[in-house]
Amino acid sequence: MDLTTIESDEIGTVAGQPAARATAARKVFIKTYGCQMNVYDSQRMTDALTADGYTATDAIGEADLVLLNTCHIREKAAEKVYSELGRIRDMKAERASAGREMLIGVAGCVAQAEGAEIIRRSPAVDLVIGPQTYHRLPNVLARVRGGEKIVETDYAIEDKFEHLPQPKRAEVIKRGVTAFLTVQEGCDKFCTFCVVPYTRGSEVSRPVAQIVAEAERLAEAGVREVTLLGQNVNAWHGEGEKGQEWGLGRLLFRLSEIPGLARLRYTTSHPRDMGDELIAAHRDLPSLMPYLHLPVQSGSDRILKTMNRRHTAKDYLALLDRIRAVRPDIALSGDFIVGFPGETGADFEATMELVRQVTYASAFSFKYSPRPGTPGADMADQVPETVKDERLQRLQALLLKQQQDFGLSLVGSTIDTLIEKPGRQAGQKVGRSPWLQPVIVDEKAGEIGDIIKVRITKTGYNSLFAELA
Ligand code: SAH
Ligand code: SF4
Ligand code: F3S
């Protein structure tokens, strides 16, 4: 999962308002924190709300409803929400003095983890809704507009995805040629540092037919690249179209048959769920991009054990050997935690050594953040902040060097690029490489949605520059 906090204010504005409404449509502003799954959820909430008569706005000042879709993964992520709520509370008060209402809702993983505590701490909040109940949002909002304060954090028994409306075709087109599609949610692994099993509940896989239908709808609206999402996406399993048991590898084969869908990805995967069929998909499916996010967290077996990852560093390296044997151009990405309780200097060196052995194309690394309710928070030998800082700096310097070397290794080569959007500078367009790097090309190189061959001429800080090959 991409752990840099995504702050997507641009959930988008829907063109045109429902014709039948006598009053001006209510406007919703959604701010998204956390991982890609929250980005996907925000889109689905937007779809549910537009079906309910709202229009999406990216101007918070004109919103009748402000929704924060929050992340609880680290303390900083959760605290951000409260500082943002302070700011929004002042806007709400201003609006009230002008005689207009502004409702405030908190969704996502902080909502699930803290529930009613959010309203106690921030009384301006009108509604708290956990990730498993987004399909109830219109109903809940109707009650909130009637003056109730609502906290809705059940793990709903009904399938929320079945009840959430699909986006309109125009909306999919506006969102662009790449899209997320959640296929699996929740986690049963209980790593001792992690809140996800508590905020997202236990593992649930969406049925094949639902996923295929959604992917077909995306492709039909012009989406070229789909990233399948799940907290443990490679634990996805389902009943195939002829009643047989499918794993993620088989699902990828099925999705690759959809006309127009040229590229497939999946994230985040767990090393313990990399099955043979999935590895075979990397060998046999040209549309499956040669890029794999496979977090390892630590290179020390002792720490992996107390983290409850249930594999060793050697297991992880052996797995990578098997994947690289069938797909030699695969690039690796990972997540790391430094300063987990009990991590010694030698444990940390083992992580550095593993990174040197693997060579990552990109990676996310974090200082361990004790999370309430997780076993790690109560472990002895918490590592001092200064030690965590020093380790993180060293690890990040190594990972950054590897990322830059990877970019440089591509200079002079010819690669496929999916043209995604206009560039920041006039005369440019931005594409996406098979390894998720932004590729800057001349705007005349191709149209949005085209996959073109380009030659890499140089690297930027985080991007590649290219010319038509
Ligand atoms: N399911 C994925 C990870 C989801 S959470 C997996 O098993 O790999 C995303 C990342 O956040 C984790 O990989 C981990 O690196 C980081 N993370 C999770 N809990 C954390 C914590 N308490 N402190 C610091 N980083 C954490
Ligand atoms: Fe968290 Fe571990 Fe589950 Fe990943 S596998 S979501 S790190 S508990
Ligand atoms: Fe954060 Fe929840 Fe995703 S805790 S990383 S938003 S699953």
Side-chain angles (χ1 to χ4, degrees):
M1 207 153 293
D2 177 354
L3 295 159
T4 46
T5 297
I6 301 165
E7 292 195 13
S8 156
D9 293 0
E10 292 175 58
I11 300 304
T13 316
V14 176
Q17 298 185 354
R21 290 189 73 86
T23 53
R26 297 187 187 91
K27 291 185 177 164
V28 56
F29 172 90
I30 305 184
K31 182 159 182 165
T32 308
Y33 302 83
C35 62
Q36 291 101 324
M37 189 150 315
N38 267 8
V39 175
Y40 176 83
D41 285 346
S42 289
Q43 291 177 346
R44 298 302 299 267
M45 285 194 274
T46 304
D47 301 333
L49 291 168
T50 49
D52 192 42
Y54 279 85
T55 26
T57 175
D58 48 18
I60 190 169
E62 58 179 41
D64 303 284
L65 167 65
V66 174
L67 264 182
L68 302 184
N69 192 7
T70 62
C71 174
H72 201 246
I73 202 84
R74 286 169 291 275
E75 189 181 356
K76 248 197 205 148
E79 281 308 313
K80 248 188 214 162
V81 174
Y82 286 102
S83 55
E84 186 66 9
L85 281 175
R87 211 168 64 87
I88 301 168
R89 177 197 56 209
D90 297 344
M91 296 176 79
K92 179 176 178 154
E94 261 170 52
R95 285 276 293 244
S97 59
R100 283 193 66 187
E101 191 175 48
M102 182 194 227
L103 298 176
I104 304 178
V106 177
C109 292
V110 176
Q112 190 65 41
E114 300 192 358
E117 174 63 19
I118 297 173
I119 298 184
R120 263 195 294 279
R121 234 177 115 175
S122 295
V125 171
D126 300 285
L127 118 102
V128 173
I129 186 161
Q132 303 314 322
T133 45
Y134 292 155
H135 55 298
R136 297 185 190 155
L137 198 52
N139 181 285
V140 166
L141 274 169
R143 286 160 59 202
V144 171
R145 286 194 301 266
E148 278 181 74
K149 291 219 177 214
I150 294 187
V151 178
E152 180 95 358
T153 52
D154 304 346
Y155 293 122
I157 17 167
E158 66 272 19
D159 175 2
K160 73 168 170 188
F161 293 111
E162 209 177 309
H163 291 85
L164 280 166
Q166 286 290 328
K168 298 217 166 65
R169 190 167 185 275
E171 185 62 19
V172 177
I173 292 170
K174 197 156 54 60
R175 285 174 188 164
V177 294
T178 61
F180 293 133
L181 200 176
T182 294
V183 300
Q184 180 278 334
E185 196 171 358
C187 180
D188 297 334
K189 295 228 164 29
F190 291 92
C191 302
T192 52
F193 51 82
C194 185
V195 291
V196 170
Y198 312 96
T199 63
R200 293 279 172 168
S202 52
E203 268 177 38
V204 177
S205 293
R206 289 179 70 186
V208 172
Q210 232 187 56
I211 296 167
V212 170
E214 188 165 331
E216 282 174 346
R217 215 170 291 124
L218 292 171
E220 194 270 320
V223 168
R224 305 301 316 278
E225 176 178 310
V226 165
T227 303
L228 306 183
L229 300 181
Q231 268 93 25
N232 273 298
V233 70
N234 52 350
W236 179 90
H237 58 96
E239 192 179 305
E241 286 158 335
K242 293 190 186 104
Q244 63 297 43
E245 177 75 6
W246 281 13
L248 188 68
R250 187 68 191 80
L251 180 68
L252 286 161
F253 275 98
R254 175 65 186 88
L255 296 178
S256 73
E257 292 166 0
I258 296 175
L261 268 195
R263 289 176 156 197
L264 297 169
R265 305 177 184 275
Y266 61 93
T267 197
T268 297
S269 30
H270 192 286
R272 280 182 59 94
D273 293 320
M274 285 302 296
D276 292 342
E277 199 180 43
L278 187 52
I279 296 178
H282 279 285
R283 180 190 62 208
D284 299 334
L285 267 186
S287 56
L288 181 55
M289 290 294 98
Y291 180 86
L292 177 61
H293 184 66
L294 196 62
V296 66
Q297 316 298 353
S298 168
S300 154
D301 289 344
R302 219 174 53 81
I303 295 299
L304 284 169
K305 191 156 201 272
T306 53
M307 283 178 164
N308 192 32
R309 293 291 290 184
R310 295 185 294 146
H311 64 78
T312 62
K314 221 167 127 196
D315 296 335
Y316 180 79
L317 293 170
L319 176 61
L320 294 188
D321 284 345
R322 283 175 58 213
I323 300 167
R324 280 175 162 156
V326 302
R327 190 75 212 230
D329 65 340
I330 203 156
L332 265 291
S333 153
D335 292 343
F336 296 90
I337 294 177
V338 301
F340 188 72
E343 185 187 76
T344 62
D347 292 320
F348 174 68
E349 292 309 328
T351 300
M352 294 290 280
E353 186 48 37
L354 179 136
V355 171
R356 282 185 213 105
Q357 279 188 46
V358 172
T359 321
Y360 288 91
S362 81
F364 303 96
S365 46
F366 314 96
K367 288 190 281 181
Y368 171 65
S369 170
R371 307 305 292 127
T374 61
D378 298 324
M379 286 181 186
D381 300 329
Q382 298 283 333
V383 174
E385 216 49 35
T386 49
V387 176
K388 288 186 198 169
D389 281 330
E390 188 258 335
R391 289 179 187 167
L392 186 68
Q393 251 179 40
R394 280 187 55 207
L395 177 60
Q396 290 190 333
L398 176 60
L399 290 167
L400 181 64
K401 172 81 170 57
Q402 293 189 343
Q403 182 180 330
Q404 288 168 342
D405 287 348
F406 178 65
L408 285 170
S409 75
L410 294 169
V411 174
S413 64
T414 298
I415 66 166
D416 284 339
T417 297
L418 169 61
I419 310 266
E420 248 197 303
K421 55 190 172 194
R424 271 198 213 128
Q425 281 176 35
Q428 292 180 338
K429 281 201 180 96
V430 185
R432 191 184 269 201
S433 83
W435 307 282
L436 280 184
Q437 298 130 306
V439 182
I440 318 290
V441 293
D442 187 277
E443 66 174 345
K444 294 191 201 75
E447 297 304 317
I448 289 170
D450 288 352
I451 294 175
I452 58 170
K453 289 219 181 294
V454 298
R455 209 177 57 83
I456 307 300
T457 52
K458 61 176 181 176
T459 63
Y461 180 70
N462 178 32
S463 52
L464 303 170
F465 291 82
E467 58 193 18
L468 209 52

